[in-house]
Amino acid sequence: MSKSPLKTSDFDYDLPPERIAQTPVEPRHNARLLVMWRDRPDLEHARFWDIGRYLAPGDLLVVNETRVIPARIWARKPSGGRVELLLLKKMNEEAWEALVGGKRIRPFLSLRVEGGPTAEVVADLGGSRRLIRFSEPIEPYLPHIGLMPLPPYIHEPLRDPERYQTVFARQPGSAAAPTAGLHFTPELIEHLKQQGIRFAGLILHIGLDTFAPVTEEDPTQHHIHTEWCELPPETARLVNETKRAGKRVVAVGTTSVRALETAARHGAPGDWVAPFAGPTDLFILPGFEFRVVDALVTNFHLPRSTLLMLVSAFAGRERILEVYREAIRLNYRFYSFGDAMLIL
């Protein structure tokens, strides 16, 4: 098998720490928007509220309607020692894959969740991951005992937990927010709809692996995280209708890209996508052929991350890194609470 010409170091860049946004902009639609075209060198600088200037009637914005769960909880061992649990993925009604913080968290250890049910460590999944089985479903307790799992690079406490939810959020299941959607407000959505721009929803539940850097020298050897997604029939219909009409499908966030291009694997002849529900392991690297997505709304991503690789596949690695350097020079805010890009 031939060695991949890609190297993970090809997706590295230097970001001054002060460029990492610690708090969100208010109102949400006042974030800055960097607009780039893939077929010409132009860049434009606007506010997110102005995004409609770059869209046309009949274009379809596809948003991720997942909701972040307050997944950081605490438990006590029989010895009294405190254990932090970060719920990552629901395996069945009682069992979750979780990251654990604490010593000697081994299989068969009993835990009592503070303010919640008892639990048992069922399996060691490697590193700090464990399979935890609760004595009853944990979800009803989470609004009362859980904290929002902010990304590790955000050090400021969040005064309003809803600020780490999109206005589209409706189905709980994510350990992180689909941050490109954080810039939308009800006022902006109504403004865009009046312009003839349509919206459609899908679900992709995001795991914390989304923040994990690729550590392998050859990114094709990286084991991509699997995430659950659902493209409902109505969204599939709107996507196919939009494509047939020669209008653009605009993915809001890399998670929407991943779900749409996964659904493209299941499209019937004459259609671009088919309704789909299940896990996706799609890893989008430069060289990937996009079948559905025509434009992308996204934030600025971490060096060496699978998300930076995805936007590089969409717009070209050298071009993206050049635009990132310009964004740093112009004091754009990076990462989850940062500013946005529109890639056309």
Side-chain angles (χ1 to χ4, degrees):
M1 189 170 67
S2 61
K3 194 174 187 310
S4 166
L6 291 174
K7 299 198 297 291
T8 298
S9 57
D10 292 337
F11 301 91
D12 214 346
Y13 68 93
D14 292 320
L15 182 70
E18 61 271 20
R19 295 272 64 79
I20 301 173
Q22 294 297 313
T23 54
V25 168
E26 297 294 349
R28 297 167 183 250
H29 57 235
N30 269 7
R32 295 170 74 187
L33 178 66
L34 190 157
V35 185
M36 65 169 285
W37 285 262
R38 290 179 289 165
D39 60 353
R40 59 184 203 249
D42 307 40
L43 293 179
E44 285 192 18
H45 306 281
R47 291 287 168 187
F48 199 82
W49 176 266
D50 302 319
I51 192 170
R53 293 205 320 239
Y54 307 96
L55 303 174
D59 285 348
L60 182 70
L61 285 165
V62 183
V63 301
N64 187 355
E65 298 176 334
T66 189
R67 186 170 179 81
V68 186
I69 59 174
R72 194 181 295 277
I73 60 176
W74 285 266
R76 295 280 179 181
K77 297 189 285 188
S79 64
R82 204 170 191 227
V83 179
E84 182 180 338
L85 302 174
L86 180 56
L87 306 178
L88 295 181
K89 187 188 297 183
K90 184 178 179 179
M91 310 305 287
N92 58 44
E93 281 306 304
E94 280 83 33
W96 285 74
E97 180 186 331
L99 286 179
V100 300
K103 295 180 179 176
R104 294 183 288 281
I105 314 299
R106 300 183 180 124
F108 309 113
L109 179 70
S110 295
L111 300 169
R112 174 164 286 282
V113 176
E114 295 180 359
T118 57
E120 182 186 8
V121 180
V122 177
D124 185 332
L125 303 177
S128 56
R129 293 173 186 259
R130 301 289 184 274
L131 183 62
I132 308 289
R133 184 171 60 232
F134 298 95
S135 58
E136 59 183 286
I138 190 69
E139 288 99 320
Y141 293 94
L142 294 179
H144 313 291
I145 66 172
L147 288 181
M148 200 63 78
L150 289 178
Y153 46 73
I154 292 178
H155 309 297
E156 293 280 332
L158 190 59
R159 287 195 294 273
D160 176 11
E162 280 301 304
R163 203 52 190 80
Y164 194 55
Q165 304 281 10
T166 69
V167 295
F168 309 107
R170 63 174 182 83
Q171 186 171 319
S174 276
T179 54
L182 290 176
H183 305 291
F184 286 89
T185 58
E187 300 91 334
L188 176 56
I189 293 166
E190 186 56 36
H191 179 65
L192 293 170
K193 285 180 175 177
Q194 288 176 5
Q195 191 183 317
I197 292 156
R198 302 192 294 175
F199 285 79
L202 52 75
I203 299 289
L204 186 140
H205 290 320
I206 305 164
L208 280 189
D209 281 342
T210 192
F211 301 112
V214 177
T215 54
E216 296 82 359
E217 183 182 345
D218 177 354
T220 63
Q221 301 304 306
H222 177 67
H223 179 67
I224 188 72
H225 51 288
T226 297
E227 294 171 322
W228 187 89
C229 64
E230 178 182 4
L231 190 85
E234 174 63 7
T235 297
R237 184 187 71 77
L238 286 168
V239 167
N240 290 325
E241 189 179 279
T242 302
K243 299 291 281 187
R244 269 193 288 272
K247 301 298 185 179
R248 291 176 296 184
V249 172
V250 183
V252 177
T254 56
T255 58
S256 292
V257 173
R258 201 168 178 216
L260 284 166
E261 296 295 336
T262 296
R265 293 170 164 180
H266 305 272
D271 283 338
W272 281 262
V273 295
F276 170 78
T280 178
D281 61 356
L282 182 61
F283 188 8
I284 296 178
L285 287 163
F288 180 83
E289 185 179 338
F290 290 86
R291 302 186 205 176
V292 184
V293 177
D294 301 302
L296 172 61
V297 180
T298 189
N299 281 22
F300 296 93
H301 301 293
L302 280 76
R304 295 174 171 251
S305 64
T306 60
L307 305 184
L308 182 58
M309 293 174 186
L310 185 154
V311 295
S312 296
F314 190 67
R317 181 188 68 84
E318 291 181 2
R319 181 82 197 287
I320 283 290
L321 291 177
E322 173 192 315
V323 170
Y324 271 41
R325 285 191 290 272
E326 181 69 357
I328 292 167
R329 188 183 73 80
L330 294 174
N331 295 330
Y332 274 78
R333 304 163 83 246
F334 275 58
Y335 302 169
S336 297
F337 284 144
D339 296 314
M341 289 180 72
L342 174 60
I343 305 176
L344 296 166

